Amino acid sequence: MTLSPSSIAFRREPIVRLRDGAILGEEWLLDHRPLPDRKKDWLVVVMAMVEKVPVAKTPDDRFISVNADTGQLSCSHFQPLWVALARRCRETHRRLVIEWTESAKVISRDAVNLLACLREDFGVEIAIDDVGSAGLDSLWRITQIRPDWIKVDGNFFHRALTDPLTLDGLRRIVDMANENRMGCIVEWIEKAEHLDAAREYGVGYGQGFWWTKPIAQKRTPRNVL
């Protein structure tokens, strides 16, 4: 099936401040199954984002958050599209957060350089995604560019609820984020107990089915953009 920008739809998950329930942003996730497996299709997805920003129903006071892995940030075919997306968000007075996701690709300075330019030229905020599940990859991404946000992987958070060693790791991640004035977001908050635990651990922000209904009986794999 050939994708076109007009055929692309996005599911928008709220990112919430835990102390008062205020919705601060929305993560745009590709609402398409199966997920594309070709680079040219992912290029179309980013093109669709550029087109949809001006007509997005996202309130002006909320940021838009999108995913990009190392390969997509370092690829010369993608880079002009990230610049176009950042420019379009600035033109429409919308904050843009790029979530740098886990990748099996060899570490690339091109990805770091692009994110630094997007931050300096367009005010793009950087989030490090998959922290707690991506091993050394997430640590490398954190140390290569000082992020504005850290997103704790939902599976890691759920393990921390029952495993003391994982909880110790989570607390250290949260402390690092808070001490360096980075927003810390925990994924997979699905019920009141999760919300209470995240607050107890010092987490400032959350995302999950507690605020949105599941789209399937089983948890769907995370979209990678």
Side-chain angles (χ1 to χ4, degrees):
M1 178 179 178
T2 301
L3 295 179
S4 65
S6 61
S7 69
I8 298 293
F10 298 100
R11 188 177 83 256
R12 297 168 185 176
E13 288 195 358
I15 297 172
V16 179
R17 187 168 57 205
L18 299 187
R19 73 167 186 264
D20 58 8
I23 299 176
L24 300 187
E26 294 181 347
E27 182 177 3
W28 287 20
L29 298 168
L30 181 61
D31 193 9
H32 185 278
R33 294 294 182 274
L35 294 176
D37 57 5
R38 300 180 300 177
K39 181 174 75 173
K40 68 178 184 179
D41 289 333
W42 284 114
L43 286 167
V44 173
V45 173
V46 184
M47 291 177 192
M49 287 190 167
V50 177
E51 290 187 5
K52 293 179 185 296
V53 163
V55 296
K57 295 182 180 180
T58 303
D60 292 341
D61 61 345
R62 298 180 188 174
F63 60 77
I64 293 172
S65 185
V66 301
N67 296 335
D69 67 24
T70 301
Q72 293 159 345
L73 292 169
S74 60
C75 175
S76 60
H77 296 100
F78 279 92
Q79 287 184 341
L81 294 175
W82 297 123
V83 172
L85 180 61
R87 179 177 291 112
R88 186 62 60 87
C89 285
R90 185 178 66 178
E91 291 170 350
T92 56
H93 308 290
R94 297 180 186 277
R95 288 168 59 200
L96 175 64
V97 177
I98 292 182
E99 298 187 17
W100 190 1
T101 67
E102 178 182 6
S103 174
K105 183 178 175 61
V106 176
I107 291 170
S108 170
R109 290 298 306 175
D110 291 337
V112 177
N113 293 338
L114 175 66
L115 289 171
C117 289
L118 293 175
R119 171 186 275 167
E120 180 177 353
D121 295 344
F122 300 101
V124 171
E125 298 173 38
I126 311 302
I128 301 300
D129 200 10
D130 306 311
V131 175
S133 70
L136 292 176
D137 181 70
S138 62
L139 293 176
W140 180 85
R141 284 177 284 132
I142 290 171
T143 59
Q144 292 305 300
I145 189 165
R146 184 185 180 91
D148 304 281
W149 300 88
I150 285 179
K151 291 193 75 173
V152 176
D153 176 73
N155 187 47
F156 185 78
F157 169 61
H158 280 206
R159 290 204 311 273
L161 298 174
T162 57
D163 178 60
L165 185 59
T166 305
L167 175 57
D168 183 61
L170 175 60
R171 289 189 184 276
R172 292 174 187 271
I173 292 169
V174 174
D175 287 345
M176 177 189 66
N178 291 339
E179 289 170 6
N180 289 279
R181 298 184 179 181
M182 304 169 188
C184 186
I185 304 167
V186 161
E187 301 174 322
W188 293 11
I189 295 180
E190 300 175 348
K191 49 189 178 181
E193 295 91 321
H194 298 162
L195 180 60
D196 291 341
R199 287 171 172 162
E200 179 186 346
Y201 302 157
V203 176
Y205 308 89
Q207 184 175 353
F209 292 158
W210 180 248
W211 298 283
T212 59
K213 294 181 178 180
I215 62 173
Q217 288 293 330
K218 296 182 180 180
R219 182 179 290 116
T220 50
R222 183 173 186 77
N223 290 334
V224 179
L225 175 62

